Amino acid sequence: MPGPPIQDLHFAEEPSVDRVPGPESRRLLEKQEEIDSSAVAYPDDIPVAFKEAKGATLRDADGNTYIDMFAGIGVLNVGHSNPYVLEAVREQTEEIVHTIDFPTEARLDLIEKLDEIAPPGLRGENRVVFGGPTGSDAVEAAIKLAKYNTGGDGLIAFRGSYHGATSGAMALTSNKGFKDDYTPLLPEVVHAKYPSPFIDRAESGDAASVCPRPASECCGAPSCARALKEVREIIEDPYGGLANPAGIFVEPIQGESGVIVPPPGFLKGLRTIATENDIPLMFDEIQSGLGRSGQWWASEWEGVTPDIMTTAKALGGVGFPLSATIYHEDLDTWDAGGHAGTYRGHVVAMRAGTRAIEYIQDHDLLAHARDLGEYIRDRLRAAGEGTDRIGEVRGRGLFIGAAFVDEDGDPNGDVVDAIQQYCFEHGVLVWKAGRHGNVLRLLPPLVLTERQAEVATDIIADAIAATTEGQRPT
């Protein structure tokens, strides 16, 4: 089997921390604050300076060892410094690093490997365009490709979405506070509702009477029915407001808004609407793809294939910057240079990406992610028993969110802040998400071991108990 087993990848199976942050972390944090950009954000939540990492573990500048339940926002699916990937990186670095888009074995191998794992409907029928170093570039490529093929200029995105920080990607992103200082952005972007089973539990209604799909195909979720009805009206109602649509852009599982898994009819309904109106359906798989959900692509859970799909984050193997847009070959109509970028020939990242996919395949990490994700979600639900402060635990594979609420059922970001701090002090790194910062978001490397999952969830459970003490229902 290529590469070591996942049990051999880490510093340790359990965290080991002294008082944090330690003096060396404090020194580096102070220096960063003096000379770095004010745009730096993450140390505001977890004040630490890192020195080295292996597998699902990180070590800071003071020697404290943490279990990493965030993986660089889902970047490090095969773990930090995976030796099977780094072996190829060293070999490639000694040969050639940068080639723009001239052919190399590394480039062609990754294209073939992406085709091998592409969802049915794209497998064997796709083209790949590599772009710049971030997922935003892949989103920009998708927008351009959709407009080029349709002649349209309007786009439908969804509330709760996050697609990146470049101009087009920011226009698709729904967070008003994230972009209100930078308007105007792309015109003609309409944000529709994104459905949620959590909403369905709080609301009632006859879904089939609202759903634009035949009653026999309606999934029965009112929020899904309303969302699909809204999308169809935006496109087809003469007064829907979007005059010249170019496509629908959606996350199969929303990440930044709190790991929202839509009801099972949603993606299927979007597929029908897009096909009937002859516009491309585009999936943002930047955070949810490459095994994160326990399938290669989160859309595979629903058996729905997009016309265009974006990927980045874990595509670079062990953190190398690389993005790509994968699309049906029928859309391959643009001319040479139709999408360009200096780093579309980052062959080291390409070699790393191929090795990472191989490692996931050879170590059956998709099944591992499904099994371990179910275990973690069950542990989080158990930790919430006896308290009414966990509104919902959700996700697929190792893409997990737990939403916290106050005594009135409203979002409670303060308790998630406290949980994050407790976990940091006890050696587990977790992060937040959600419109109100009230979702505990877990994106551990797919190489997280069962023992590490057990230890990490023990600490998270302790954090939940400590921060919700005195808040249990009578």
Side-chain angles (χ1 to χ4, degrees), residues 228-292:
L228 292 176
K229 183 174 185 289
E230 183 179 9
V231 172
R232 187 175 286 281
E233 288 174 346
I234 290 169
I235 297 173
E236 298 179 4
D237 186 335
Y239 284 77
L242 191 64
N244 197 11
I248 301 169
F249 206 92
V250 64
E251 296 164 273
I253 300 175
Q254 285 193 337
E256 295 298 318
S257 66
V259 192
I260 308 295
V261 181
F266 180 59
L267 299 183
K268 293 175 182 177
L270 292 181
R271 176 71 277 173
T272 298
I273 293 170
T275 300
E276 290 178 354
N277 288 276
D278 198 25
I279 58 175
L281 177 62
M282 297 171 277
F283 286 168
D284 183 336
E285 293 268 13
I286 290 168
Q287 188 168 148
S288 60
L290 290 167
R292 168 59 49 195

Side-chain angles (χ1 to χ4, degrees), residues 25-35:
S25 279
R26 291 182 185 277
R27 184 185 72 82
L28 293 171
L29 288 164
E30 290 170 1
K31 183 175 182 179
Q32 175 168 284
E33 188 173 355
E34 290 173 1
I35 67 174

Side-chain angles (χ1 to χ4, degrees), residues 106-170:
R107 181 187 186 88
L108 301 179
D109 285 349
L110 181 54
I111 292 172
E112 290 179 337
K113 184 59 76 171
L114 287 171
D115 179 65
E116 181 182 323
I117 67 171
L122 285 180
R123 193 173 305 150
E125 304 176 67
N126 68 81
R127 292 291 184 267
V128 177
V129 60
F130 294 107
T134 72
S136 297
D137 188 272
V139 172
E140 300 289 344
I143 293 170
K144 290 165 63 178
L145 186 62
K147 289 187 173 185
Y148 191 86
N149 275 275
T150 63
D153 55 17
L155 295 163
I156 297 175
F158 292 87
R159 297 168 204 165
S161 63
Y162 178 84
H163 299 291
T166 52
S167 183
M170 199 184 303

Side-chain angles (χ1 to χ4, degrees), residues 348-395:
V348 174
M350 291 171 178
R351 183 64 75 198
T354 299
R355 278 291 183 100
I357 293 170
E358 290 173 353
Y359 190 88
I360 292 171
Q361 291 173 322
D362 293 333
H363 294 263
D364 199 15
L365 293 187
L366 298 184
H368 180 69
R370 293 192 295 270
D371 293 343
L372 208 60
E374 184 176 0
Y375 167 80
I376 293 172
R377 286 190 294 276
D378 285 345
R379 288 292 309 277
L380 291 173
R381 293 186 184 105
E385 291 179 358
T387 176
D388 56 359
R389 295 304 185 261
I390 296 184
E392 184 180 40
V393 177
R394 55 198 178 221

